[in-house]
Amino acid sequence: TKIFIPSTSSADNLVINEIMNNPLATSDSYGEWFEIVNTGINEVDLYNFIIRDNGNDYHYLNEHIVVLPGEYIVFGNSDILNENGGIAVDYEYSNFYLNNFIDEVILQHPNGNIIDEVSYTINTFEVIEGRSMMLSEFNLDNNLGENWFPSNILMGNGDYGTPGEYNGNNSCNGTGDINVDLDINVVDVILIINYILYNQSDFDNIECLGDLDGNNIVDILDVVLLIEYILGIN
């Protein structure tokens, strides 16, 4: 729950905005991450802030991470791209883990005040393997599962999420399975290329299924993402 502390601290405007607690493209031990956003008008230095849960997970932020107004910061358990699924992590933490079923993400000020806190359970949040949980709007209570949705924005590693970016929601869910045969392969690549070249398709939903990057346009970038997914390139 977002807690606004009666103080002059600009940290009050930090919001936990996205959580990847159960990656599929890589193991949990490398691919877990969460994101915060600065919804205020002033920059915030996170030096000596704490991320923790209500159990034994506890980590001091030992770097001067300055969050600019409107900026998204990604925290992860690995910042090595070929380990974490290609996620651009701004800060690598330790001794903090995201349970697949029930856990808390708590951001705490050095003075002890809780800046923001999200408590999720698999019963109250829609937790899907390989898809991050994303907050619908910054001003909503982020402790209520109804205000979160599983991402359907495909990343280059085959998982879904928007680390470091706005939580856009592509309602058409571009899976890349153009002929809907439950197998994503070179046939789907050919179908997308033919659609781009000739603007014709035997599959009515190709504008949704082929929009892998969620920008509402089926173009060559979607072809590249699909090929990378098929080849297993992160």
Side-chain angles (χ1 to χ4, degrees):
T1 302
K2 188 65 183 168
I3 299 175
F4 291 94
I5 306 163
S7 72
T8 58
S9 173
S10 299
D12 296 344
N13 295 306
L14 298 175
V15 175
I16 298 168
N17 183 58
E18 187 171 2
I19 301 171
M20 174 63 90
N21 65 317
N22 192 8
L24 181 60
T26 187
S27 68
D28 288 10
S29 58
Y30 295 111
E32 293 178 351
W33 54 268
F34 71 93
E35 172 193 271
I36 67 170
V37 59
N38 182 359
T39 65
I41 60 174
N42 298 307
E43 64 182 35
V44 182
D45 188 345
L46 297 180
Y47 185 70
N48 272 342
F49 276 61
I50 300 159
I51 54 174
R52 65 176 179 86
D53 63 9
N54 285 327
N56 296 321
D57 293 4
Y58 197 93
H59 180 85
Y60 275 102
L61 303 181
N62 54 14
E63 296 179 16
H64 286 281
I65 307 168
V66 177
V67 191
L68 301 177
E71 187 176 17
Y72 300 84
I73 297 294
V74 179
F75 300 87
N77 55 7
S78 173
D79 61 4
I80 301 175
L81 295 178
N82 62 4
E83 286 184 351
N84 70 12
I87 306 300
V89 168
D90 298 295
Y91 181 90
E92 178 182 307
Y93 53 71
S94 60
N95 197 40
F96 184 78
Y97 311 94
L98 298 170
N99 189 278
N100 292 345
F101 307 106
I102 177 172
D103 212 341
E104 306 84 31
V105 181
I106 300 171
L107 180 64
Q108 184 173 324
H109 194 279
N111 65 15
N113 290 328
I114 294 177
I115 299 302
D116 200 15
E117 175 180 6
V118 175
S119 298
Y120 65 86
T121 75
I122 198 169
N123 294 323
T124 56
F125 282 63
E126 190 173 358
V127 180
I128 300 176
E129 186 179 18
R131 296 176 185 264
S132 69
M133 300 180 291
M134 306 203 300
L135 183 64
S136 299
E137 298 291 341
F138 299 148
N139 61 340
L140 296 177
D141 186 344
N142 59 1
N143 229 12
L144 296 177
E146 64 192 52
N147 294 329
W148 293 71
F149 61 93
S151 176
N152 58 11
I153 304 297
L154 184 63
M155 300 186 293
N157 64 10
D159 281 353
Y160 295 77
T162 58
E165 300 177 0
Y166 172 72
N167 290 351
N169 184 18
N170 176 18
S171 60
C172 67
N173 193 9
T175 64
D177 186 13
I178 306 304
N179 57 2
V180 197
D181 64 352
L182 303 181
D183 186 20
I184 300 175
N185 52 35
V186 68
V187 173
D188 299 300
V189 175
I190 294 171
L191 291 172
I192 290 183
I193 292 175
N194 284 340
Y195 176 74
I196 294 172
L197 292 177
Y198 306 111
N199 199 30
Q200 293 180 346
S201 175
D202 294 330
F203 301 92
D204 295 335
N205 206 29
I206 192 170
E207 291 183 357
C208 276
L209 296 175
D211 185 16
L212 277 76
D213 59 359
N215 67 351
N216 298 316
I217 301 173
V218 177
D219 55 19
I220 191 64
L221 181 56
D222 297 303
V223 175
V224 172
L225 289 172
L226 186 57
I227 292 173
E228 288 181 343
Y229 175 76
I230 293 171
L231 295 177
I233 300 174
N234 292 331

